Amino acid sequence: TGIVDETQQMAFADANLMQESRVNQKFVNLIETMRSKSLIDQVSYQLILHDLTSDKPFKELTVLYENGLNKAAIDHAIDVYREKYKNREALNLRDPDQAGLATVLGWMEYDSGSILWGLSTFRLGASDFIHLDFESQNAEISAFVVNAISREFILDYTNLVKENQRASVEFLQAIIKVK
């Protein structure tokens, strides 16, 4: 007939807009997860452990020695950082020992604030890609940080999905038992 019902077009436009809004919100959440303190802490531990245990550290360790750290203190730091990384834990800043280890991260500019300062994360247009960039004085550190964030994010996201699936199965099993 040539007559167009504008209300149907409006309904489809609203549905598309809502879908696009949901997708955008999911990407915002993914990016915030990549920038979360818990994820960045894992990257911090990897950076400091690399420098403390590698024959070719990214940065010179002179700042640590200048601030009074000796071999025993560094060995202790390695143990604590490894444990925190393994258990995916933050340093407890109320514990003087761990607060000191947080200071060490700051001296090396491996603390979360320093990493976030150099980190750029954004969605590439309307694509399914997230761009990660880390700016530092050392290209090896930049590549290491981007790769570590990517690995940690994939690990965290995979664990989250598995946990949600497990919770859903438990919920459905509980419903079945009730019936």
Side-chain angles (χ1 to χ4, degrees):
T1 63
I3 299 173
V4 177
D5 183 357
E6 295 288 328
T7 59
Q8 288 181 351
Q9 287 181 349
M10 293 282 289
F12 287 129
D14 287 346
N16 285 340
L17 184 61
M18 287 179 61
Q19 177 66 16
E20 186 176 323
S21 177
R22 282 189 208 119
V23 169
N24 285 335
Q25 186 59 49
K26 286 183 180 186
F27 272 96
V28 167
N29 291 343
L30 292 173
I31 289 168
E32 287 306 310
T33 299
M34 289 179 165
R35 298 177 62 83
S36 69
K37 176 135 175 39
S38 60
L39 191 141
I40 299 299
D41 281 349
Q42 295 298 106
V43 175
S44 295
Y45 301 150
Q46 290 179 58
L47 283 164
I48 194 70
L49 285 168
H50 173 272
D51 282 4
L52 295 178
T53 61
S54 176
D55 292 335
K56 295 183 180 180
F58 294 134
K59 295 181 178 181
E60 293 295 323
L61 302 178
T62 53
V63 68
L64 303 181
Y65 298 118
E66 289 170 355
N67 281 288
L69 270 70
N70 58 28
K71 173 85 170 102
I74 289 175
D75 288 343
H76 171 70
I78 291 169
D79 291 341
V80 174
Y81 290 131
R82 280 185 177 149
E83 188 69 19
K84 293 294 181 182
Y85 179 75
K86 178 181 150 199
N87 294 327
R88 306 190 73 73
E89 296 175 344
L91 291 168
N92 177 0
L93 300 181
R94 292 183 181 156
D95 178 326
D97 179 55
Q98 292 184 32
L101 294 174
T103 300
V104 168
L105 291 173
W107 290 336
M108 297 296 289
E109 295 180 342
Y110 292 159
D111 59 303
S112 60
S114 297
I115 292 173
L116 287 171
W117 186 85
L119 182 64
S120 172
T121 54
F122 57 90
R123 181 179 180 195
L124 289 173
S127 73
D128 288 346
F129 296 101
I130 295 176
H131 178 84
L132 285 175
D133 187 46
F134 185 74
E135 190 174 319
S136 72
Q137 295 176 348
N138 180 326
E140 289 179 338
I141 292 175
S142 296
F144 185 95
V145 168
V146 167
N147 289 328
I149 288 172
S150 298
R151 277 191 311 271
E152 293 299 326
F153 171 76
I154 290 168
L155 180 64
D156 280 356
Y157 193 75
T158 301
N159 288 338
L160 177 66
V161 168
K162 285 180 182 177
E163 179 60 27
N164 287 343
Q165 288 172 342
R166 186 195 59 74
S168 294
V169 168
E170 287 178 1
F171 175 73
L172 292 173
Q173 286 174 338
I175 289 174
I176 290 171
K177 284 181 183 178
V178 170
K179 290 185 176 188

